[in-house]
Amino acid sequence: MTGPYVRDLRHIDAAQVAVVGGKAAHLGELARIEGVRVPEGFCVTTDAFRRILAEAPAVQDAIDRLGRVHPDDREAVGALSAEVRRAVEGIPVPDVVATAITDALNRYGERAAYAVRSSATAEDLPSASFAGQQDTYLNIVGPAAVLRHISRCWASLFTERAVTYRRSHGIDDRTVDMAVVVQRMVLPQVAGVLFTADPVTGDRKAATVEASFGLGEALVSGLVNPDVFTVRHGEVVARTIVAKERAVQALPSGGTHEVAIDARRQEQPTLTDAQAVRLVRLGRRIEAHFGRPQDIEWCLADGEFHLLQSRPITTLFPVPAPAPVPGPGSDPETGPYENRVYVSVGHQQMMTDPMKPLGLSVWQLTAMVPMHEAGGRLFVDVTPRLASPAARAPAPLATDPAVVTELDERSRESLAGLERDIRARTGPELFEFLLQAFQEHKRLVGDPQSLQVIMAGMEATWWLNDHLGAWLGEKNAADTLTLSAPGNVTSEMGLALLDVADVIRAQPEVVAFLEDVEDDDFLDELAKLPGGPAARDAIEAYLDRYGMRCVGEIDITRPRWRERPATLVPAILDNVRNFGPGAAARRFEQGLRTAREKEREVLSRLRELPDGDRKADETKRMIDRVRTFIGYREYPKYAIVSRSFVYKQALMAEAERLVRAGVLAEQEDACYLTFPELHDAVRSHRVDQRLVQQRKDAFRSYRALTPPRVLTSDGEALDGSYRRDDVPAGALVGLPVSAGTVEGRARVVLDMTDADLQAGDILVTVFTDPSWSPLFVGIAGLVTEVGGLMTHGAVIAREYGLPAVVGVARATRSIRDGQRIRVHGTDGYVELLD
């Protein structure tokens, strides 16, 4: 049974999504798997849907208007989608379509009961399941009723929830068609859902079975709590059997109704362990066929399982591709480890957003250790390190500021050489040059002396906190002792923007002009105003020093401040409003005075202790050491980003040449190619545009994923939790990284350009990388969801003396913007005050 409007499920496969929609395509594939029972039926094709729309041009016009509505205009989306829905339901089914459907019903049984199920072309996709977004109708009896419910399925393409869901995934309403699946009803004793991977932890080896009595509608609608079985390695390892008071059953005349379950059956298991294991075995076969974990709807009738739907589990974070498991005598760094543990690079670098392929590959090519990509993020396999004992050795390095000065000079010389030597390189020669430059990059990053300096600063910090805690009861004393430490390029960046504000503050026309800036080409216009040349020069000087920075700067495809200078304008204006002239110098001097006063106090108290002179002398040496070396902690990242901007400028110039040659549609397309692929494109003048589009679609889907801090090769996300009994009830717990307590207004900021901060505000965000430093000068405290003791936010918070707690799970969702909170930076928790 194949025609333009109806196709038998047995004749459908995954290649026919455009004709039969995602659900029908998956059902057709399911029916092809040996041992899998799928209720028989047919699909009303997308040709039928387009035919009915052609009968009513006004409906197509309404769909076009809906497509032009701004996604945030919920009222207009709701009104227009309802209008389209009513119009579609009101279109008579054309005779030729109705005849094809009734002929199919005659073949399967005109008076049989059917399930009528939507199957949109944007449904059950790898990146978006669309579960529950369109309609399904159960136990529909008679041709007239089936035709009526097919129309309802067509109309359900335009439910407000479906339209909103498509918008969130970047899918245009006008590009989606609707098919409808019509299947013989199965009247089950038990129904439910099978996840072939744990939907919460992501563990690919643990399958979860949820089951309830009667039709699956009771479970899907939330009418009942299901029994839950966890199956691993062919056996049930956990089960939860609940009281199931109600079920949904089919009515003989059509439709469904709720029924009460006999009290004696309510707490009986819906499945035996053997049945759960048999179902999971079927699920594994389906998972293998589709090549990824599946969310499967099933039912059990007369002892046999019937599969009603299978779609990808779209919320799972991907697992990095495993390296080959070596045999005896292999590289000890790789190790004969069957199970792997991966650590997120993004959590270390304070950038957990996905990266585009060019950014990923350049970071991999310049990294000191192998990095694995998954979900647009990078991970390091730490399995060999976990399997080997680790030791922390003191850094054998004299406390000499000249060491830091020499490292800085070497880095600047290397950067100058890169900028000089890359200028004349184009085409394939550029890529060969960059591969050599990447080796120099790694040499600088891995410079043993650079690593010694970083470790010396960290070791001294740990020593001071440990010993002063033991000797004096001081918590995190190093936070105060390192205020205004010299040579911290990131904290200097924040203070330097205060100096820019000093130049602008005295020029009211410049301030007024900047308040209306939206485009990035404002600097030339700025120079035409009274006081404008000085303001432009101040901003240009800042960009010369820091213009290579931006949010998410480890991804070279991200726009830099030099490329988007308007990004800095809100922070400059905040500084104009919130500070007076000379604020940068005063702030630095205040920090220096506080650190010196703390040093005198600590040394004085130590000398009063038994063996006090020795303790004071040792502490003085460590204070000098930490102040000498701790500022350098931020410099290697600055050097990396400086070099990366040079790489980017050269690569984007090549991309622009490919655009002019007609090889790329736009410069941005180069960002969706890896470095080797872009190299090949420059050599061959050929690019697979389908690959570029696939990468764009994948990148969009990755943005919806939350990367775990730690991931196993089984796919299990390990985030951990804090066990604290010393915090007030209701407090949010995290890591204490910068001492002190502050109370103030929380400003929840997800995008630096949207920040509207006043003096005394507490910044609450997901993560901060160095580009956020200009905001730090005006806040009173910091709370982040991601971070550690030596990550950017913690380092700069200590430098500025801001109480800070990081690693606070769901902080941006648990704290309301404008809510008063109290940050306990010494003890690591946040109180919600109203």
Side-chain angles (χ1 to χ4, degrees):
M1 179 179 57
T2 298
Y5 301 125
V6 169
R7 291 197 183 184
D8 192 293
L9 287 178
R10 292 170 298 181
H11 301 151
I12 291 172
D13 59 29
Q16 299 179 45
V17 171
V19 178
V20 299
K23 183 183 281 115
H26 275 78
L27 285 170
E29 284 290 323
L30 274 177
R32 294 165 178 264
I33 303 173
E34 184 179 354
V36 173
R37 289 181 174 82
V38 174
E40 60 184 4
F42 59 91
C43 178
V44 182
T45 67
T46 56
D47 286 340
F49 176 70
R50 287 192 292 270
R51 174 69 184 265
I52 67 114
L53 291 186
E55 302 279 325
V59 175
Q60 191 62 60
D61 177 66
I63 295 171
D64 289 340
R65 284 187 284 123
L66 179 61
R68 292 192 294 270
V69 170
H70 193 280
D72 294 335
D73 190 347
R74 297 296 297 274
E75 185 176 342
V77 169
L80 269 174
S81 59
E83 177 187 333
V84 173
R85 242 181 4 264
R86 288 191 300 270
V88 171
E89 280 195 51
I91 301 173
V93 179
D95 290 344
V96 65
V97 176
T99 299
I101 293 169
T102 53
D103 286 349
L105 290 172
N106 288 334
R107 280 188 286 273
Y108 287 112
E110 182 179 306
R111 300 308 304 171
Y114 291 90
V116 181
R117 313 170 69 193
S118 61
S119 180
T121 52
E123 183 174 330
D124 293 353
L125 303 176
S127 58
S129 71
F130 280 81
Q133 301 304 313
Q134 284 98 206
D135 289 349
T136 288
Y137 300 96
L138 301 179
N139 202 39
I140 307 303
V141 178
V146 170
L147 285 170
R148 186 166 61 252
H149 285 85
I150 287 171
S151 289
R152 290 179 180 175
C153 282
W154 284 332
S156 75
L157 185 64
F158 302 102
T159 63
E160 184 177 353
R161 66 178 182 273
V163 171
T164 302
Y165 190 87
R166 283 195 293 273
R167 299 289 178 85
S168 71
H169 286 80
I171 298 172
D172 191 324
D173 303 311
R174 293 163 290 190
T175 65
V176 184
D177 291 324
M178 177 68 86
V180 181
V181 174
V182 181
Q183 289 176 280
R184 287 287 297 260
M185 275 293 294
V186 176
L187 303 180
Q189 290 77 53
V190 180
V193 178
L194 161 64
F195 298 97
T196 63
D198 189 307
V200 177
T201 69
D203 189 345
R204 273 36 171 203
K205 292 186 178 177
T208 301
V209 177
E210 297 183 350
S212 64
F213 291 125
L215 293 168
E217 181 64 20
L219 174 58
V220 173
S221 67
L223 179 65
V224 298
N225 291 322
D227 291 345
V228 180
F229 302 83
T230 302
V231 178
R232 180 189 285 272
H233 300 310
E235 65 176 310
V236 175
V237 295
R239 67 183 65 75
T240 302
I241 308 301
V242 300
K244 300 162 287 291
E245 298 179 353
R246 304 192 67 76
V248 174
Q249 292 184 350
L251 288 165
S253 59
T256 62
H257 68 147
E258 293 180 20
V259 298
I261 295 176
D262 185 276
R264 291 168 296 180
R265 292 185 63 215
Q266 288 180 6
E267 297 192 18
Q268 291 181 5
T270 45
L271 297 174
T272 66
D273 283 6
Q275 287 173 323
V277 169
R278 179 156 61 95
L279 176 60
V280 169
R281 195 174 297 123
L282 276 174
R284 292 292 180 216
R285 195 177 302 165
I286 294 167
E287 178 184 70
H289 179 85
F290 288 113
R292 60 185 298 165
Q294 296 289 300
D295 166 358
I296 300 168
E297 294 181 18
W298 57 271
C299 66
L300 179 68
D302 301 323
E304 297 293 343
F305 285 108
H306 299 261
L307 283 303
L308 309 177
Q309 184 163 322
S310 185
R311 54 179 167 243
I313 306 177
T314 60
T315 56
L316 295 178
F317 198 86
V319 179
V325 178
S330 60
D331 183 349
E333 274 299 307
T334 306
Y337 311 109
E338 204 169 310
N339 299 313
R340 322 293 301 187
V341 177
Y342 301 96
V343 171
S344 163
V345 173
H347 284 80
Q348 299 167 40
Q349 294 293 335
M350 295 296 95
M351 211 292 277
T352 56
D353 293 341
M355 298 169 66
K356 293 173 184 170
L358 184 60
L360 287 166
S361 62
V362 170
W363 192 265
Q364 288 172 305
L365 287 166
T366 54
M368 297 302 296
V369 296
M371 293 188 176
H372 306 263
E373 184 274 335
R377 281 82 168 184
L378 290 172
F379 292 83
V380 173
D381 184 349
V382 297
T383 314
R385 302 179 202 182
L386 294 175
S388 305
R392 186 200 297 171
L397 188 69
T399 303
D400 183 359
V403 175
V404 176
T405 302
E406 183 183 345
L407 284 170
D408 289 352
E409 289 176 354
R410 291 211 300 259
S411 179
R412 283 194 293 269
E413 288 171 2
S414 178
L415 178 63
L418 173 65
E419 292 172 333
R420 180 189 63 245
D421 296 341
I422 204 171
R423 287 190 191 114
R425 298 320 207 293
T426 60
E429 183 190 2
L430 170 67
F431 288 82
E432 298 301 328
F433 171 81
L434 284 173
L435 288 172
Q436 296 174 10
F438 294 164
Q439 295 307 308
E440 168 67 4
H441 183 120
K442 290 201 275 190
R443 187 192 67 76
L444 288 168
V445 172
D447 186 329
Q449 193 171 55
S450 176
L451 298 175
Q452 281 182 311
V453 168
I454 292 171
M455 283 306 302
M458 294 170 65
E459 292 277 0
T461 299
W462 295 327
W463 190 98
L464 287 166
N465 285 336
D466 291 347
H467 286 76
L468 295 181
W471 293 338
L472 300 177
E474 289 269 356
K475 280 189 176 181
N476 302 322
D479 293 358
T480 306
L481 293 167
T482 54
L483 290 173
S484 297
N488 187 318
V489 68
T490 307
S491 61
E492 290 170 356
M493 179 171 68
L495 295 176
L497 205 62
L498 286 172
D499 292 333
V500 174
D502 285 352
V503 176
I504 290 169
R505 188 180 294 105
Q507 306 297 334
E509 290 188 51
V510 170
V511 173
F513 172 81
L514 291 177
E515 286 173 344
D516 293 328
V517 161
E518 294 181 358
D519 299 323
D520 292 303
D521 57 356
F522 68 93
L523 288 171
D524 289 339
E525 289 299 314
L526 175 62
K528 299 174 184 177
L529 300 173
R536 181 195 59 187
D537 291 348
I539 295 173
E540 286 284 4
Y542 187 87
L543 292 172
D544 287 344
R545 175 75 166 144
Y546 304 111
M548 78 295 291
R549 311 218 80 151
C550 69
V551 173
E553 62 192 11
I554 68 171
D555 181 355
I556 70 164
T557 69
R558 290 285 189 101
R560 310 284 132 174
W561 289 345
R562 170 54 78 182
E563 297 166 320
R564 301 273 180 87
T567 305
L568 291 171
V569 170
I572 293 172
L573 291 173
D574 281 346
N575 289 347
V576 168
R577 286 190 294 267
N578 297 332
F579 297 93
R586 284 197 306 276
R587 189 182 190 107
F588 187 83
E589 288 301 321
Q590 177 59 47
L592 196 56
R593 282 196 302 272
T594 302
R596 287 171 175 166
E597 289 167 5
K598 186 67 175 179
E599 178 180 332
R600 286 193 293 270
E601 176 215 324
V602 163
L603 296 179
S604 175
R605 290 172 61 195
L606 285 173
R607 289 194 176 94
E608 295 175 1
L609 300 177
D611 198 19
D613 287 343
R614 179 188 63 81
K615 292 174 180 175
D617 289 346
E618 287 184 9
T619 300
K620 172 60 175 169
R621 284 196 295 274
M622 284 299 175
I623 291 173
D624 291 345
R625 190 169 181 81
V626 77
R627 291 192 64 83
T628 297
F629 293 135
I630 199 66
Y632 180 76
R633 172 72 177 77
E634 291 288 300
Y635 192 84
K637 179 73 171 291
Y638 174 80
I640 289 170
V641 174
S642 297
R643 292 182 67 89
S644 296
F645 188 36
V646 178
Y647 307 152
K648 178 185 182 179
Q649 290 171 305
L651 291 171
M652 290 301 99
E654 285 301 312
E656 187 56 38
R657 292 185 186 97
L658 291 177
V659 171
R660 291 198 299 268
V663 178
L664 291 177
E666 57 183 357
Q667 189 187 61
E668 174 72 7
D669 286 355
C671 298
Y672 294 94
L673 301 174
T674 65
F675 182 88
E677 288 167 350
L678 185 55
H679 189 180
D680 287 343
V682 169
R683 277 193 299 237
S684 67
H685 269 219
R686 286 196 302 271
V687 167
D688 184 347
Q689 295 297 337
R690 291 171 301 177
L691 174 65
V692 171
Q693 187 58 51
Q694 288 168 5
R695 296 271 177 80
K696 289 180 177 180
D697 294 341
F699 180 75
R700 187 182 301 113
S701 71
Y702 295 154
R703 294 173 68 178
L705 298 176
T706 300
R709 290 178 173 84
V710 180
L711 184 66
T712 72
S713 52
D714 288 343
E716 187 171 8
L718 306 176
D719 281 320
S721 60
Y722 302 100
R723 294 182 180 178
R724 297 277 299 274
D725 55 10
D726 59 341
V727 300
L732 307 179
V733 181
L735 296 174
V737 296
S738 185
T741 301
V742 66
E743 181 179 320
R745 179 181 67 159
R747 297 313 309 262
V748 179
V749 180
L750 302 181
D751 186 332
M752 176 182 160
T753 58
D754 296 332
D756 180 14
L757 300 169
Q758 297 179 10
D761 284 347
I762 297 169
L763 175 61
V764 180
T765 190
V766 178
F767 60 80
T768 65
D769 62 11
S771 69
W772 288 69
S773 295
L775 301 185
F776 279 41
V777 297
I779 61 175
L782 175 69
V783 179
T784 69
E785 294 182 354
V786 176
L789 188 63
M790 296 307 294
T791 51
H792 164 262
V795 171
I796 303 306
R798 290 193 294 270
E799 170 69 18
Y800 287 166
L802 305 175
V805 181
V806 304
V808 181
R810 300 176 61 85
T812 59
R813 284 163 283 186
S814 302
I815 299 171
R816 299 190 315 273
D817 185 47
Q819 185 175 19
R820 290 198 66 78
I821 63 175
R822 184 179 297 125
V823 177
H824 295 263
T826 304
D827 296 313
Y829 64 92
V830 180
E831 289 183 275
L832 311 182
L833 302 180
D834 57 41

